[in-house]
Amino acid sequence: MEGRNCSHPLLKGGSLTQSKKYKHGFSSSQIQSLAAVCEALIPPLPTVLDTTVTSNGDQLHEMALHSYYKSSAFQSPFPDETAELLVKRGIPKAVAVVSLVLKFLSTRLGTLLLCGHTALDWKWPFVHKFSELSVKKREAILQKWSRGTLLLPLRTVFFLLKVTCFYTFFSLTDENSQNPAWEAIGYHVETVDNSREPEDERPLEKGLIETKNQIEFNLKESLIQKGLHVTENPKDNALNIKCDVVIVGSGCGGGVAAAVLTKAGLKVLVLEKGHYFVPQDYSGLEGPSMNELYASGGIFSTLDGLFILLAGSTVGGGSAINWSASIKTPNHVIEEWSVDRKISIFGGAEYQSAMDEVWKRIGVTENCVQEGFQNQVLRKGCENLGLKVEGVPRNSTENHYCGSCGYGCRRGEKKGTDSTWLVDAVNNGAVILTGCKAEKFVLVKDEKEKHIKRCKGVIATIESNGTQRKLNIEAKASVSACGALFTPPLLVSSGLKNKHVGKNLHLHPVLFAWGYFPESESELKGKNFEGGILTSIHKVVTGEPNFRTIVESAGFGPASFAVFLPWVSGQDSKEQMSKYSRTAMLFTLIRDVGSGEVKEEGSVKYELGGLDKENLKAGLRETLRILIAAGAVEVGTFQSNGQRLVCEGVGNEDVEKFLETVKAVGGPASGEKYWTMYCSAHQMSSCRMGASEKDGAVDGNGECWEAKGLFVSDSSVLPTALGVNPMITIETTAYCISKRIAESLKRETNV
């Protein structure tokens, strides 16, 4: 496809046809068992070609469907790729359980132990290994594991293998960036003309140092050339770097901080563990894009598997891969934070002025020229029900019609920090170091106030050409802006003890619903992956004075959609996926009261509150009503039993009877008969601001109570859950914090 051949090597596909050496560590017998599981999950199915179709396009689609139903995840390289993904992204303890189960399944006795009488036969050898059983018997075993409430580890194994197998099957591509199943399910990567002449210089080039391209000598010279004071420390194989401010992270918080602080005349060094990409680099391919642009490749779960957590991990952070929603902080939230919680930064003209400045800098527009299929569904359903539906402001042009912004905006029309604030920062002398991971902040005793510490900088590491090198960065002020999932572990590893560090984590829990709209039976045109991802919003009225629940549309590629889609049987899953492109996916999101904890990187715990479950239930039921009112022929949730309703000939009474069965159930480890998967793309409050040390991890200026000169400038400082898409709120808060950092450093200089 036009433009795709010039995408960045890290964002290209090709795993289907590339020979590679796998690092998963599974034995051949374990892979044999895994292949048997994959085949039962996505089996080959009998199909008959429809010879009555006449048009060339219909014939090609019929042949693609025939090939799709005949295909199986048993085929190479899917089992090895599934194992690779599992080991790379899975929680180590859970992966160990999967490994053990696969060992058991590779033996007759182990299969008998885990699968019961299904492994028995009247003929020799009487007991079969899992791979020797028929596909039908293997499917029955997996169905039992999925429904099981007594042996939850087996349900966990089913969950992990289902997620990784389906993700692999629908995301892997060949050297032409094609997946064999895509034509059959109506999906293609959007053609974008990004073949225009490249700019003479990438927007961040003058301040950028990409460590993966540097040899040791060049790195030191590059840092010096960009205005930093650098010396070598041969004893530790380290570079000692001096600057005014060091910022860890380049997303909504870090990008804004860098711009504000450089404008104040300070020398700023930004550390980013991800890579830098420009619009021409993006491929729109789900697999490699998720792998490079998201934390843990987009397969990042809470410890119990209840939530899939989506967080940016590239230059620009979440602003590079979010869905453009630019919603101002609701007034009732501002009042709660400034009045009830007594945090002055959110009160008065300062915050409002900063919000206006943010709104202007990222080019927010409030109109949408043309809505995509899913937002048309949301709008039509609401209008038919007499519900209020509002447009969503976006940091893009009014005619921005892009369904793949979650994989980086290939048109270059979305204004993330990588094309706005960070550009301002490098133009004022900031340096951005990519491929650089902060290990800990350096805390020493404060000379004036002995009971607290002072931050003197940060220790970071880079890896280049297989060699790791340490960086000792000395700064007058240090800013953690690596997000609510990564700032707390960094602060904990630095020695902070405040009880609020890593606590009070809010996730804006999301539950999805789907509705199928065959093209032949709907006036709504387009496919679910086309058009602006999020252009309409409905605020659910639940009897509370202020809304806590909203309904919006999702932007999931086929692999992510397949991950959330419940598996009832191999045939059902293939049929459901064959309808992918005309299946609208809406979700309900709540302002959560329940909270979680993240004190160690990659280890996230979370528990929904009772009110949260009620709001999710109300929101999910409203979402299904909207889909039905928009004309869906079938609707459903993502509950493990494949909960759904065929809408033809169904009256209001039947709909309400169905909706009574719709609830916010637990996750795979809950022990409930039916379970589901939640999603979170907004994490916040894990280092919340407080009026005192008893109330929060940082003060009203974003400074850590325990350490002078150490600030937090990201979503983790928000006092509570927000209730709407948080980009504007994060950037506005970061703007205010950064202004105060600059004023603080100016006062110290003048003393």
Side-chain angles (χ1 to χ4, degrees):
M1 285 186 184
E2 186 178 359
R4 190 141 9 122
N5 60 347
C6 62
S7 57
H8 194 284
L10 291 173
L11 302 178
K12 287 184 177 181
S15 295
L16 266 177
T17 50
Q18 291 174 353
S19 59
K20 60 193 285 191
K21 188 174 181 180
Y22 293 103
K23 300 176 182 178
H24 51 64
F26 288 167
S27 67
S28 58
S29 60
Q30 286 175 304
I31 290 297
Q32 185 182 43
S33 298
L34 178 56
V37 171
C38 291
E39 185 180 29
L41 289 169
I42 308 177
L45 297 171
T47 181
V48 178
L49 274 171
D50 184 354
T51 56
T52 62
V53 295
T54 55
S55 74
N56 188 47
D58 287 344
Q59 286 177 352
L60 288 173
H61 182 66
E62 189 65 27
M63 290 174 65
L65 272 174
H66 180 75
S67 176
Y68 164 67
Y69 276 101
K70 284 288 192 184
S71 66
S72 163
F74 179 84
Q75 299 160 322
S76 179
F78 293 119
D80 276 304
E81 290 287 346
T82 297
E84 198 82 349
L85 182 63
L86 174 70
V87 171
K88 185 177 181 181
R89 301 302 185 191
I91 295 169
K93 287 182 180 178
V95 173
V97 174
V98 173
S99 177
L100 183 62
V101 167
L102 292 176
K103 281 183 181 178
F104 270 72
L105 294 181
S106 66
T107 68
R108 291 185 169 86
L109 184 60
T111 302
L112 179 62
L113 185 65
L114 296 181
C115 306
H117 65 86
T118 312
L120 298 174
D121 198 343
W122 291 109
K123 298 178 182 179
W124 178 261
F126 305 120
V127 180
H128 292 290
K129 295 188 296 184
F130 188 79
S131 60
E132 295 170 344
L133 298 172
S134 67
V135 172
K136 191 174 175 108
K137 284 188 174 183
R138 280 180 263 148
E139 180 181 73
I141 290 166
L142 295 180
Q143 288 168 335
K144 186 177 179 181
W145 288 4
S146 173
R147 294 191 297 263
T149 57
L150 295 177
L151 291 174
L152 288 178
L154 288 180
R155 192 153 87 177
T156 300
V157 169
F158 165 81
F159 165 71
L160 288 169
L161 293 181
K162 183 260 179 184
V163 166
T164 50
C165 175
F166 273 83
Y167 189 85
T168 299
F169 188 80
F170 287 101
S171 68
L172 288 188
T173 60
D174 59 23
E175 69 279 4
N176 295 317
S177 298
Q178 294 295 319
N179 176 287
W182 286 353
E183 179 67 28
I185 67 175
Y187 177 73
H188 63 267
V189 175
E190 187 182 17
T191 301
V192 174
D193 183 11
N194 58 7
S195 58
R196 61 187 180 275
E197 286 296 317
E199 298 176 23
D200 293 337
E201 187 175 84
R202 295 181 296 174
L204 301 181
E205 195 71 46
K206 68 172 67 174
L208 186 72
I209 300 176
E210 296 172 287
T211 59
K212 65 183 177 65
N213 298 331
Q214 298 281 323
I215 59 175
E216 288 188 27
F217 173 76
N218 281 348
L219 176 60
K220 179 184 175 184
E221 290 303 308
S222 295
L223 290 164
I224 292 171
Q225 286 171 11
K226 294 189 187 303
L228 292 164
H229 183 272
V230 185
T231 59
E232 291 198 56
N233 186 345
K235 188 183 294 184
D236 294 336
N237 186 33
L239 289 179
N240 298 332
I241 305 168
K242 285 186 179 181
C243 60
D244 292 323
V245 183
V246 60
I247 301 172
V248 182
S250 63
C252 294
V256 172
V260 172
L261 292 167
T262 52
K263 189 176 181 181
L266 298 164
K267 188 64 179 179
V268 173
L269 174 61
V270 178
L271 310 182
E272 170 56 57
K273 66 182 177 183
H275 300 297
Y276 174 51
F277 302 104
V278 294
Q280 290 81 4
D281 291 329
Y282 296 126
S283 65
L285 293 171
E286 183 178 13
S289 299
M290 294 288 284
N291 185 59
E292 284 298 325
L293 305 177
Y294 287 76
S296 294
I299 302 180
F300 184 178
S301 75
T302 52
L303 288 175
D304 59 2
L306 180 63
F307 280 83
I308 294 291
L309 308 169
L310 301 176
S313 186
T314 182
V315 172
S319 74
I321 47 85
N322 69 16
W323 299 345
S324 305
S326 303
I327 302 173
K328 288 186 175 181
T329 315
N331 289 333
H332 66 272
V333 176
I334 292 176
E335 183 177 356
E336 180 184 324
W337 291 352
S338 61
V339 178
D340 298 349
R341 293 184 176 264
K342 299 179 175 57
I343 304 172
S344 62
I345 198 171
F346 298 107
E350 178 190 7
Y351 189 81
Q352 292 294 338
S353 175
M355 192 149 52
D356 291 340
E357 190 67 32
V358 166
W359 187 269
K360 179 181 176 183
R361 182 62 190 95
I362 64 175
V364 177
T365 57
E366 298 188 67
N367 297 318
C368 176
V369 173
Q370 180 186 3
E371 287 197 302
F373 165 62
Q374 297 193 127
N375 285 277
Q376 291 177 54
V377 167
L378 175 55
R379 187 172 292 277
K380 181 181 179 183
C382 286
E383 289 173 348
N384 287 346
L385 290 170
L387 301 173
K388 185 178 180 182
V389 59
E390 303 171 32
V392 176
R394 298 180 294 164
N395 60 330
S396 63
T397 59
E398 292 183 349
N399 60 359
H400 185 56
Y401 194 78
C402 175
S404 61
C405 268
Y407 313 133
C409 185
R410 297 161 71 203
R411 291 173 171 80
E413 294 175 358
K414 184 174 70 174
K415 303 301 181 185
T417 63
D418 52 317
S419 60
T420 54
W421 300 105
L422 289 171
V423 176
D424 297 344
V426 298
N427 285 341
N428 282 318
V431 180
I432 302 171
L433 203 56
T434 66
C436 180
K437 189 175 188 306
E439 302 295 341
K440 67 176 182 177
F441 290 106
V442 179
L443 306 181
V444 299
K445 284 187 178 181
D446 188 69
E447 295 177 1
K448 296 178 181 177
E449 300 179 62
K450 302 295 183 183
H451 64 287
I452 62 172
K453 296 178 180 177
R454 175 166 286 278
C455 184
K456 303 297 286 185
V458 67
I459 296 172
T461 55
I462 60 167
E463 190 170 319
S464 180
N465 300 316
T467 303
Q468 196 172 78
R469 190 155 201 202
K470 182 177 171 185
L471 304 179
N472 297 318
I473 301 162
E474 183 182 335
K476 298 171 185 174
S478 302
V479 181
S480 185
C482 39
L485 298 178
F486 297 98
T487 278
L490 181 58
L491 298 184
V492 169
S493 69
S494 304
L496 267 62
K497 306 293 185 184
N498 182 291
K499 68 178 182 179
H500 294 289
V501 174
K503 290 280 195 177
N504 316 303
L505 173 68
H506 292 295
L507 296 180
H508 275 180
V510 158
L511 277 178
F512 297 101
W514 58 267
Y516 177 49
F517 296 78
E519 275 187 294
S520 59
E521 299 181 37
S522 175
E523 63 184 31
L524 303 175
K525 302 304 178 186
K527 299 182 185 295
N528 65 5
F529 53 86
E530 296 173 339
I533 298 172
L534 207 168
T535 57
S536 295
I537 180 174
H538 167 60
K539 297 169 183 174
V540 180
V541 178
T542 59
E544 295 183 62
N546 299 304
F547 70 90
R548 297 196 73 92
T549 308
I550 60 176
V551 178
E552 295 177 329
S553 67
F556 274 8
S560 299
F561 181 84
V563 162
F564 280 89
L565 193 71
W567 184 88
V568 178
S569 69
Q571 172 131 8
D572 180 75
S573 289
K574 277 202 167 176
E575 288 175 354
Q576 286 290 98
M577 284 304 299
S578 71
K579 303 171 184 176
Y580 163 75
S581 67
R582 288 289 296 179
T583 299
M585 192 178 187
L586 305 183
F587 64 84
T588 185
L589 176 154
I590 63 164
R591 186 184 183 206
D592 47 327
V593 177
S595 64
E597 175 181 311
V598 54
K599 289 181 176 286
E600 181 182 341
E601 193 166 311
S603 179
V604 182
K605 303 173 187 175
Y606 183 86
E607 187 173 347
L608 284 165
L611 178 62
D612 297 334
K613 292 178 182 179
E614 288 301 310
N615 284 332
L616 281 162
K617 180 177 71 174
L620 192 56
R621 290 177 179 182
E622 189 91 298
T623 305
L624 288 162
R625 288 190 188 96
I626 291 167
L627 288 164
I628 294 168
V633 301
E634 188 177 21
V635 298
T637 70
F638 288 76
Q639 193 171 281
S640 60
N641 62 331
Q643 185 180 48
R644 66 189 71 171
L645 174 71
V646 176
C647 303
E648 187 177 356
V650 172
N652 289 338
E653 188 176 329
D654 293 322
V655 169
E656 291 305 315
K657 189 176 178 180
F658 167 71
L659 292 177
E660 281 296 315
T661 68
V662 174
K663 298 174 182 174
V665 296
S670 66
E672 296 178 39
K673 183 178 180 181
Y674 302 129
W675 51 275
T676 193
M677 292 167 62
Y678 293 73
C679 186
S680 165
H682 310 152
Q683 303 88 33
M684 63 203 77
S685 308
S686 53
C687 284
R688 72 183 184 193
M689 272 189 182
S692 71
E693 196 169 355
K694 293 180 181 179
D695 300 321
V698 300
D699 66 17
N701 298 318
E703 190 169 25
C704 293
W705 291 104
E706 301 169 76
K708 291 280 187 183
L710 177 55
F711 297 83
V712 178
S713 178
D714 58 30
S715 63
S716 61
V717 303
L718 302 185
T720 68
L722 178 63
V724 295
N725 305 68
M727 176 169 62
I728 295 295
T729 299
I730 298 168
E731 293 198 9
T732 303
T733 305
Y735 190 94
C736 294
I737 289 173
S738 306
K739 285 283 190 181
R740 296 184 178 201
I741 294 173
E743 291 166 6
S744 170
L745 291 177
K746 186 177 180 181
R747 284 195 301 270
E748 287 183 13
T749 303
N750 294 334
V751 171

